[in-house]
Structure formats: C-alpha cells, structure tokens
Amino acid sequence: MKITTMIFLVMVSVVGNTPLIAAENAPFNAAPPVQKTISLDSRIDASNIRIASQGNKVLISGTVGSLIEKQLVEEAAKSVVGSDYSVSGLKVVPPMVSDVDIQRSIETSVPSHCQVKLQNFEVQVRDGNVTLSGQTDSLHHSTMAGYVASTIRGVKSVTNRIVVDDNRASDKLIRENISAVLDDYLKKNNINWLGIAVKNGAVTLSGDVDNYEQERHITDVVQRLPGVVSLKNKLVIRSEHYGQRDRTGRY
C-alpha cells in the first residue's frame, strides 16, 4: 500500500498564545479609506453615515442633511474606489424649510452665482423637490444652476430642465475644439487616446483615465465649450488612489 504524504505550508504568527493565520488572498477592505476620506471633508456631517464592504463594493447608507452633502459623499467614494460603490441607502433628510423659502432662495442665488446667464428661468418646488426650467447658451451654466440649487438649505432633489440653446458651432467644429483644448493636458498626463463623438451638439467621451481627478478635469473643460448641449461620460478609471485592483478585488 502506498502512502502519500501531503505537506501544507501555513504562514503563522503568534500574538500572546493565539496563533494567527495570514490569509494572503484576503480581499481589500475599501470601507476604512472611504470612511476616512468622507470624515476629512468638513462640508460633510458624517455622524449619521454608515459604510460597509460587500465583496468588492462599498455600501453607503444613513442620512445627510442636504443634497449637496450626498453628492460630496459620492465624490469622496468615487475618488477612492471608482465606480465600486452604492449610495442607494443614503437618504437626504434636510431641516424643515418651506417650499416658498426654498424657491425664493434659488431664484435669488442661481442667477447671481458666477453670473449664470439664463432666460425664462423658472423654479418649482414641491415638498423640497426642485424643478428648474429655462434656456441658456452654455452647458456649464445649466450645470452650475443645478449645482447652486442643490446647495440651498431644505432641497431634497433637483430636476434640471434648463435647455442649452446654442447651434452656432457645427459638430465637426465642436470635436476639433475639444481636441485642441485638451491636447496639452492629455499629453502631459500620458492619456494616449480620448474618444470624442458629437451629434447635434451632444458629446460622448470614452477612453481610459488614471484617476477621478483626470476624469473630472476633462468633463469640466468639455461642458464649458460653446456648442456643447449635453455630455455623456463613458470614461473608465483604470486605477485609483489605492492602486489597480486584480480579479480577486485586491490592490
């Protein structure tokens, strides 16, 4: 009878009298760095925010006092783990402010902030949920109006229906303008390829970038350019602040 001897090598360290087995393939727990990033942002009240890991995904739940705080939480999570997060469990519970007061604040703040140029600007508020409408000649102005509205105390959500009305630039000219404006930045950051598709002023960006900061810079620049009426972001972040993850979820 043949006897086969199998030898298992296990890495063991001892703390006191308790042996600890090191699990080399343990998945990276992204919850602590996300929690730290959020807690360091003075604009966010993190006292009622809960963060947990589920597989490779970070789950964020709890409550925040404003819509802009929720957006800041999303930005913080994205800067650490890219798209591997969910804020579906994070609810906006703002302080009690009347719809009339919210409407007045938005009507005053939006046009004056950064000299946003709007025509036929209207604000509707129902139970803290805001709908903006009107026309502007720049996607940046439309985006800025939505952002300013989201910072107003008592706002739960913002639906931005401000239309960008700018047909002065052809799709070809818009594409050439985007390429020219971003050329130096792409070379400086070793971004070898950026897909730019334009149809009736609607821009779609695709390609790989190294981090969230690059993605944000590119999209911010594009939405400020004349003729751009909408922007679809299909950029993929291939690595994050904590490194490129492999198939096991480790960095």
Side-chain angles (χ1 to χ4, degrees):
M1 181 176 64
K2 294 183 179 180
I3 299 177
T4 302
T5 302
M6 300 181 67
I7 300 175
F8 295 89
L9 297 178
V10 180
M11 295 176 61
V12 178
S13 61
V14 178
V15 178
N17 295 321
T18 305
L20 299 177
I21 299 177
E24 291 188 13
N25 292 322
F28 176 78
N29 182 5
V34 171
Q35 179 77 62
K36 182 178 180 180
T37 303
I38 291 173
S39 64
L40 289 175
D41 193 328
S42 60
R43 298 169 296 177
I44 302 173
D45 179 0
S47 58
N48 294 315
I49 298 176
R50 297 182 297 276
I51 302 175
S53 290
Q54 186 178 76
N56 295 333
K57 198 164 191 175
V58 173
L59 305 180
I60 304 174
S61 59
T63 61
V64 289
S66 66
L67 181 61
I68 190 62
E69 279 187 89
K70 183 175 181 179
Q71 293 171 350
L72 290 170
V73 168
E74 287 195 64
E75 287 190 10
K78 191 173 185 179
S79 70
V80 177
V81 295
S83 60
D84 292 337
Y85 71 91
S86 171
V87 292
S88 60
L90 186 63
K91 307 301 180 184
V92 177
V93 183
M96 292 299 296
V97 181
S98 71
D99 288 347
V100 173
D101 287 339
I102 293 174
Q103 181 176 349
R104 288 173 179 169
S105 296
I106 294 175
E107 288 175 343
T108 301
S109 300
V110 169
S112 62
H113 189 84
C114 295
Q115 298 181 343
V116 172
K117 300 176 182 178
L118 299 170
Q119 295 178 342
N120 303 319
F121 180 54
E122 293 185 2
V123 181
Q124 295 180 335
V125 186
R126 184 174 181 179
D127 297 329
N129 299 296
V130 176
T131 300
L132 306 178
S133 59
Q135 295 86 38
T136 183
D137 61 0
S138 166
L139 178 60
H140 171 64
H141 291 152
S142 174
T143 303
M144 182 61 69
Y147 171 79
V148 173
S150 71
T151 66
I152 299 300
R153 186 170 176 265
V155 172
K156 296 179 182 177
S157 68
V158 176
T159 300
N160 192 346
R161 294 178 178 169
I162 297 175
V163 177
V164 179
D165 184 16
D166 189 348
N167 297 317
R168 292 173 296 177
S170 68
D171 289 346
K172 180 181 179 182
L173 183 59
I174 293 172
R175 189 182 187 285
E176 291 175 349
N177 196 15
I178 293 172
S179 297
V181 170
L182 288 174
D183 184 59
D184 287 343
Y185 180 82
L186 298 180
K187 290 178 180 177
K188 182 179 178 181
N189 289 275
N190 297 317
I191 301 173
N192 298 322
W193 182 81
L194 178 68
I196 306 169
V198 186
K199 185 175 182 180
N200 299 325
V203 176
T204 300
L205 299 177
S206 58
D208 292 345
V209 293
D210 287 330
N211 51 56
Y212 173 62
E213 286 70 25
Q214 290 180 357
E215 178 195 41
R216 183 170 58 181
H217 177 84
I218 291 170
T219 55
D220 283 351
V221 168
V222 171
Q223 72 174 11
R224 292 172 183 265
L225 297 178
V228 177
V229 298
S230 67
L231 175 60
K232 181 178 291 186
N233 178 14
K234 291 186 176 181
L235 295 173
V236 176
I237 300 175
R238 55 179 169 237
S239 62
E240 299 298 334
H241 179 67
Y242 286 89
Q244 179 70 40
R245 286 193 288 185
D246 61 24
R247 293 183 179 180
T248 67
R250 298 180 65 209
Y251 285 78

